[in-house]
Amino acid sequence: MRILLIVLLCNSFLVTAQQIPEFQLMRYDEDYSGLEKDTVRDWYHRLKYKKIGKNAYISFGGDFRTQYLIMDNENWNPDTQDNDGFMLTRWLFHADLHLSEKIRVYGELQSALANSREVLVPVEENPLKLHQLFMDYKPFQETPLTFRLGRQEVSYGSTRLISLRDAPNTRRSFDGVKVLFSEGNIKTDIFYLHAVVDKTGIFDDASSPDLRLWGAFSDITTAKKELHFNFYFLGFYNKNALFYDGAGTEKRYTIASRVFKNSGTWWYDLEGGYQFGTIGSRRISAWSIALATSYRFTSIKYTPEIGLKADLISGDKDNTDKTQQTLNTMFGPGAYFGMAAPLAPSNLMDIHPDLKLRFSEKITLSCDYAFLWRYSRGEGIYRPNMVPFFEHNDASSRYIGSQISGVFFYKANKHLSLLTGLSWFNTGEYLREVSPGKNITFGFASAQLKF
């Protein structure tokens, strides 16, 4: 019944929303001011653009996602067996108020629920929260400069270090200030933020001075917009950091750059970074290199696209010395290597061949096969929140295991998308040394509606 309701609503949207701009991952990036001169005046256009003054208008929108998930041997342990699976649902509803050409206020509520989940965690269960509430101020008419103050989503670059954390259930936000500059092919953000700590109650989330992020990010494109160059400088503070070689106050700095091309038949993405700073009395010296590339065969049936991803990510060599080589992904996506085995990209070597087939404009099949090793035998693996996965690390093997996955994606129209997928994780020698080492089987079905 719920899926039928979604389909009916979506068909209604489709009839009335032919000229509406495309939805963005960051919904505050959407601009509906062009609808002022649109001759269509149905209920959906009024929802997206309602003039309330000479230079003022308000826009409403939202996002509903429901997922059914089932997993055998979660975290490679049969004791966590969930025989009938569980449901994750998430509502997002926003209002975008433009008071003038200089002042804008954006607010968003989020509700994330984990039904039939035996152990509730905030990343899956957060019944109601003020997810975003910020004000934009543009002080100069001729200078493309914006000051943003308040609670906001943040995502940069490849999202390995700073992401929305969209996949698990509860999206991430920060409290703070940001300065945005955008002119021509150059976009630069400078920011100082406190992470909002998610909790499982209602309106009980608050930003923490113990978990901070600051820095600058620039995106520069070539004249034809074929190549993008990203440059990062990030500062990170965690008062209560925990690694395999102990706890401590972490002050970490990241310098990174990225070049990528995402148009045409050949696509590639190369990123590298270095981290330094301190954790207690230990010195940080960590690094990572990531490569992703793919080629699309446009003259072959189903337009097959063959790709390859690979990462080299440093880990700590010796937990008794004064140097920490563990790369910290800070605010990573939560499902970087897939939902069956949620690992942080830290102390890892991996290689992922993948294949994508387009059966039509609406139906896509994606498959990949990931092979994972520890970079350093001196350290274990980490959860996405950078907490050690296992209490001890006395294993000798590097090989973590492999994961094969397949996902069907159906985009009914711009509002409705359906996904279903299956993953199987085959444990390697390392996991059999430090855990029960059972293979993981994971399946899901998901529907998402945007308006």
Side-chain angles (χ1 to χ4, degrees):
M1 180 62 70
R2 180 180 292 173
I3 298 299
L4 178 60
L5 178 61
I6 291 174
V7 173
L8 292 175
L9 285 172
C10 199
N11 287 335
S12 176
F13 291 149
L14 184 63
V15 170
T16 61
Q18 301 298 325
Q19 305 303 320
I20 302 296
E22 290 296 319
F23 298 119
Q24 303 296 316
L25 183 62
M26 317 280 280
R27 299 298 301 270
Y28 57 67
D29 286 335
E30 297 168 8
D31 181 5
Y32 295 97
S33 59
L35 297 180
E36 180 179 5
K37 298 179 181 179
D38 200 322
T39 57
V40 177
R41 285 291 181 267
D42 55 42
W43 70 271
Y44 188 67
H45 281 71
R46 290 192 295 271
L47 181 73
K48 304 310 293 181
Y49 181 88
K50 176 65 176 177
K51 195 173 182 65
I52 56 176
K54 183 178 180 181
N55 295 310
Y57 73 90
I58 190 168
S59 176
F60 299 96
D63 183 320
F64 171 72
R65 188 182 73 178
T66 181
Q67 300 182 90
Y68 170 73
L69 306 96
I70 188 165
M71 185 180 300
D72 285 339
N73 306 319
E74 186 174 3
N75 297 333
W76 309 283
N77 189 344
D79 293 339
T80 59
Q81 193 76 3
D82 187 349
N83 294 321
D84 58 357
F86 57 97
M87 293 285 295
L88 298 179
T89 59
R90 184 182 70 199
W91 281 97
L92 290 161
F93 180 76
H94 68 260
D96 188 5
L97 174 62
H98 292 252
L99 294 171
S100 67
E101 294 181 354
K102 291 187 175 183
I103 300 176
R104 171 201 190 190
V105 178
Y106 185 93
E108 185 174 45
L109 294 174
Q110 179 175 207
S111 174
L113 300 174
N115 302 303
S116 300
R117 192 66 156 151
E118 294 182 1
V119 178
L120 298 178
V121 292
V123 74
E124 294 178 345
E125 171 87 7
N126 195 332
L128 191 59
K129 65 176 289 190
L130 180 62
H131 182 54
Q132 297 192 82
L133 182 60
F134 63 79
M135 183 182 73
D136 281 354
Y137 177 60
K138 298 180 179 180
F140 310 111
Q141 188 72 27
E142 303 298 329
T143 304
L145 194 67
T146 302
F147 292 88
R148 178 169 295 170
L149 177 65
R151 182 164 296 185
Q152 56 198 277
E153 290 184 337
V154 179
S155 180
Y156 289 121
S158 65
T159 73
R160 178 181 302 152
L161 301 177
I162 306 174
S163 75
L164 301 174
R165 196 185 57 199
D166 184 69
N169 206 28
T170 305
R171 285 171 67 141
R172 177 188 288 122
S173 57
F174 297 82
D175 285 343
V177 60
K178 184 191 295 185
V179 180
L180 303 89
F181 175 84
S182 178
E183 185 172 34
N185 296 332
I186 300 176
K187 296 180 180 179
T188 299
D189 289 1
I190 301 173
F191 49 89
Y192 179 83
L193 306 164
H194 287 192
V196 175
V197 179
D198 294 297
K199 299 179 182 179
T200 57
I202 296 176
F203 290 129
D204 60 349
D205 303 339
S207 59
S208 172
D210 298 335
L211 199 57
R212 307 175 211 160
L213 177 71
W214 64 93
F217 173 83
S218 289
D219 179 82
I220 303 171
T221 60
T222 56
K224 295 183 179 180
K225 298 188 180 298
E226 293 182 348
L227 282 179
H228 289 253
F229 298 90
N230 293 165
F231 300 96
Y232 309 69
F233 174 75
L234 305 174
F236 176 71
Y237 174 86
N238 185 359
K239 184 178 180 180
N240 303 301
L242 177 63
F243 294 86
Y244 274 97
D245 60 353
T249 297
E250 179 178 9
K251 299 176 183 178
R252 185 180 296 256
Y253 303 91
T254 302
I255 299 175
S257 61
R258 176 188 180 218
V259 57
F260 68 97
K261 175 180 178 288
N262 57 3
S263 60
T265 57
W266 181 39
W267 172 91
Y268 60 84
D269 191 327
L270 177 64
E271 183 177 51
Y274 178 73
Q275 293 183 336
F276 59 96
T278 59
I279 303 173
S281 61
R282 306 188 300 277
R283 181 177 63 90
I284 296 171
S285 179
W287 55 270
S288 70
I289 300 173
L291 169 67
T293 185
S294 67
Y295 186 84
R296 182 183 301 178
F297 296 87
T298 56
S299 60
I300 300 178
K301 189 177 182 180
Y302 303 137
T303 320
E305 184 174 331
I306 299 175
L308 183 68
K309 300 176 184 177
D311 297 273
L312 282 175
I313 307 168
S314 67
D316 198 37
K317 297 178 181 178
D318 185 352
N319 60 15
T320 63
D321 64 10
K322 291 296 183 179
T323 301
Q324 176 92 48
Q325 290 96 5
T326 310
L327 187 94
N328 190 337
T329 57
M330 299 182 293
F331 300 103
Y336 188 79
F337 295 107
M339 297 179 70
L343 305 176
S346 185
N347 189 32
L348 284 172
M349 300 183 293
D350 60 87
I351 185 167
H352 297 215
D354 60 78
L355 171 67
K356 181 180 290 185
L357 299 173
R358 294 171 176 83
F359 298 108
S360 69
E361 293 183 357
K362 295 184 176 182
I363 302 175
T364 304
L365 170 64
S366 298
C367 303
D368 74 275
Y369 205 161
F371 300 87
L372 306 168
W373 297 264
R374 288 189 297 162
Y375 178 81
S376 173
R377 289 190 177 94
E379 186 172 40
I381 58 177
Y382 286 84
R383 299 177 186 270
N385 60 354
M386 286 305 297
V387 172
F389 227 117
F390 305 107
E391 185 176 353
H392 302 290
N393 180 50
D394 51 3
S396 59
S397 175
R398 289 185 188 272
Y399 186 54
I400 299 169
S402 62
Q403 177 177 260
I404 186 169
S405 303
V407 176
F408 268 104
F409 176 74
Y410 174 65
K411 187 176 179 62
N413 48 56
K414 66 178 293 181
H415 298 279
L416 177 66
S417 57
L418 307 174
L419 291 89
T420 184
L422 185 68
S423 293
W424 181 66
F425 192 101
N426 184 26
T427 56
E429 290 84 352
Y430 167 73
L431 288 172
R432 289 195 288 270
E433 287 186 63
V434 298
S435 74
K438 298 298 183 181
N439 297 333
I440 298 175
T441 303
F442 170 78
F444 78 97
S446 174
Q448 186 167 19
L449 173 68
K450 295 184 178 182
F451 62 91

